[in-house]
């Protein structure tokens, strides 16, 4: 990050991200290898939801911290969704406890950096991107952990973590080679994400952790909440991939979510049967991937309706990470839980077929 870029940094996202007070940069419409005129596969948040951000800015009459595009109230509304006085509907970007978002936004309005902590698949990077888009209008200024593992603060090497201590405590970036330093201006802040299952990769030092206000993003609290998250995100991905809408696929989405939650929790929803948990995380993000893959199968090789056979192979790949131990867990779950469940006969047969 250049010295000038740092001086104008307002907010940061991601794995460590920063934004500027300038308008979002124009992105080429040409996709990599796609030739001129190709559609960008995944536009940045500030581009995808530009209309919502503009509507919020127009309706926002609350105090804004220096160099913020929106007030803290409007930033929270952008993430959680709502309806503006002019009737504009703001779609939810995060489905979860309102207080978590309010605490995160308030942290960024102070001089404390924000650490989003949680197990894999709890939307840490997703939330950080949208926070930066709403606060600064630019979610692209990020520092990746390493070239191969960009997503979490605990993957950043220890010497880089040490550098962050000075940045966060003194709000300055020394450049010993030039005998200079760059000081942050008002409005600078930083968001980091960390995977709490990565302890032992690069543990955060107590000195660095003290510089952050930590907000834990939980797994969805209820099956309905997780189904809503998966359905909403699958719909967004489906539109970007030109896949047909799958309103008839809600039953399969609920089945995938149920399987993930039961294997993750080690017990069936009714609490009557204990089950073994596989080695994988079985996150909400993985459930979204399984359903999206199934929707693509239904669109290209079926009749467009999401059915058990379309999600079975994806489920097997998500659950069975260890070919020996996880396969035993999966087969036992199929025979003791899925086989006996009313209305799941087709699902059981499809899973048995791909497992065999």
């Amino acid at each position: 990050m250049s010295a000038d870029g740092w001086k104008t940094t307002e907010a940061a996202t991601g794995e460590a991200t920063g934004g500027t007070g300038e308008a979002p940069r124009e992105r080429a419409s040409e996709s990599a290898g796609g030739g001129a005129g190709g559609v960008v596969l995944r536009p940045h948040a500030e581009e995808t939801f530009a209309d919502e951000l503009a509507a919020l800015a127009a309706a926002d009459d609350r105090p804004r911290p220096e160099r913020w595009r929106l007030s803290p109230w409007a930033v929270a509304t952008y993430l959680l969704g709502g309806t503006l006085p002019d009737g504009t509907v703001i779609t939810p970007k995060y489905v979860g406890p309102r207080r978590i978002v309010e605490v995160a936004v308030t942290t960024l309005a102070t001089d404390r950096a924000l650490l989003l902590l949680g197990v894999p698949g709890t939307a840490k990077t997703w939330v950080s991107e949208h926070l930066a888009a709403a606060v600064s209008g630019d979610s692209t200024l990020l520092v990746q952990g390493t070239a191969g593992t960009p997503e979490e603060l605990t993957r950043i090497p220890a010497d880089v973590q040490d550098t962050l201590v000075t940045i966060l405590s003194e709000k300055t970036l020394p450049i010993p080679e030039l005998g200079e330093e760059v000081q942050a201006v008002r409005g600078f802040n930083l968001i980091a994400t960390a995977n709490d299952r990565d302890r032992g990769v690069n543990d955060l030092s107590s000195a660095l952790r003290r510089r952050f206000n930590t907000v834990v993003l939980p797994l969805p609290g209820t099956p309905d909440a997780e189904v809503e998250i998966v359905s909403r995100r699958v719909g967004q991905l489906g539109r970007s991939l030109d896949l047909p809408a799958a309103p008839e696929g809600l039953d399969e989405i609920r089945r995938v979510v149920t399987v993930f939650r039961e294997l993750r929790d080690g017990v069936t929803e009714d609490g009557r049967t204990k089950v073994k948990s596989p080695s994988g995380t079985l996150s909400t993000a993985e459930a979204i991937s399984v359903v999206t893959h199934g929707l693509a199968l239904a669109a290209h090789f079926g009749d467009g309706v999401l059915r058990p056979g379309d999600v079975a192979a994806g489920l097997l790949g998500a659950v069975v990470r260890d070919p020996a131990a996880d396969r035993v867990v999966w087969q036992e779950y199929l025979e003791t839980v899925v086989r006996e469940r009313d209305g799941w006969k087709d699902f059981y047969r499809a899973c048995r077929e791909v497992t065999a």
Side-chain angles (χ1 to χ4, degrees):
M1 187 180 296
S2 68
D4 289 341
W6 180 347
K7 280 182 175 291
T8 59
T9 298
E10 301 183 8
T13 163
E15 296 77 69
T17 3
T20 69
E22 304 171 355
R25 296 191 295 272
E26 292 293 331
R27 293 187 73 205
S29 62
E30 185 174 321
S31 60
V39 178
V40 173
L41 185 60
R42 189 189 182 282
H44 297 307
E46 60 271 20
E47 298 167 343
T48 302
F49 299 99
D51 291 345
E52 291 187 13
L53 290 168
L56 277 165
D60 188 10
D61 59 358
R62 305 196 182 199
R64 306 179 187 184
E66 188 166 350
R67 303 180 70 83
W68 280 42
R69 294 282 184 101
L70 300 172
S71 69
W73 169 84
V75 173
T77 301
Y78 169 73
L79 262 77
L80 294 166
T83 302
L84 301 183
D86 65 359
T88 300
V89 175
I90 306 300
T91 58
K93 318 304 181 299
Y94 174 73
V95 178
R98 169 173 289 274
R99 200 58 174 174
I100 286 179
V101 172
E102 292 174 346
V103 170
V105 174
T106 301
T107 296
L108 295 176
T110 69
D111 65 351
R112 292 279 289 179
L114 174 64
L115 173 61
L116 299 177
L117 185 68
V119 300
T122 47
K124 300 181 293 297
T125 302
W126 177 260
V127 169
S128 66
E129 177 185 356
H130 284 286
L131 281 171
V135 169
S136 69
D138 190 346
S139 64
T140 66
L141 300 182
L142 65 133
V143 178
Q144 296 184 343
T146 71
T149 53
E151 290 142 351
E152 313 294 347
L153 183 64
T154 44
R155 295 183 181 274
I156 293 179
D159 54 345
V160 179
Q161 289 189 25
D162 291 342
T163 302
L164 288 176
V165 173
T166 302
I167 293 174
L168 296 180
S169 60
E170 306 301 328
K171 301 298 188 290
T172 185
L173 176 64
I175 310 176
E177 294 82 359
L178 301 179
E180 298 178 0
E181 69 173 16
V182 182
Q183 293 180 307
V185 298
R186 290 188 65 181
F188 167 81
N189 215 323
L190 182 142
I191 306 169
T193 63
N195 175 356
D196 64 3
R197 290 194 179 182
D198 265 350
R199 296 188 183 99
V201 176
N202 286 301
D203 287 341
L204 297 185
S205 67
S206 58
L208 180 56
R209 187 178 283 272
R210 286 198 304 272
R211 268 65 182 186
F212 287 100
N213 187 31
T214 301
V215 173
V216 178
L217 296 186
L219 290 164
T222 66
D224 288 344
E226 192 158 4
V227 168
E228 179 185 353
I229 293 169
V230 173
S231 300
R232 186 182 300 277
R233 187 65 182 131
V234 166
Q236 293 171 343
L237 290 171
R239 287 189 293 273
S240 71
L241 297 172
D242 292 330
L243 297 176
E248 301 89 352
L250 187 59
D251 287 344
E252 302 312 321
I253 293 176
R254 187 169 293 278
R255 285 193 184 99
V256 170
V257 168
T258 298
V259 170
F260 271 40
R261 291 181 69 89
E262 291 181 337
L263 289 173
R264 199 165 61 208
D265 296 341
V267 65
T268 54
E269 280 188 333
D270 58 13
R272 295 179 179 179
T273 306
K274 291 185 177 180
V275 298
K276 296 176 182 177
S277 296
S279 59
T281 56
L282 298 181
S283 66
T284 306
E286 290 172 294
I288 292 169
S289 178
V290 168
V291 176
T292 303
H293 180 265
L295 187 59
L297 277 176
H300 298 303
F301 299 101
D303 59 3
V305 177
L306 191 64
R307 302 185 189 280
D310 300 317
V311 298
L315 264 174
L316 178 65
V319 175
V320 181
R321 300 297 177 85
D322 183 324
D326 290 344
R327 183 173 289 274
V328 172
V329 170
W330 177 235
Q331 289 176 332
E332 183 176 311
Y333 175 77
L334 286 178
E335 299 303 325
T336 60
V337 177
V338 176
R339 183 179 183 179
E340 304 302 325
R341 188 164 276 164
D342 291 341
W344 284 46
K345 295 299 184 184
D346 289 344
F347 183 80
Y348 168 75
R349 284 193 292 267
C351 291
R352 284 290 300 167
E353 182 179 344
V354 297
T355 301

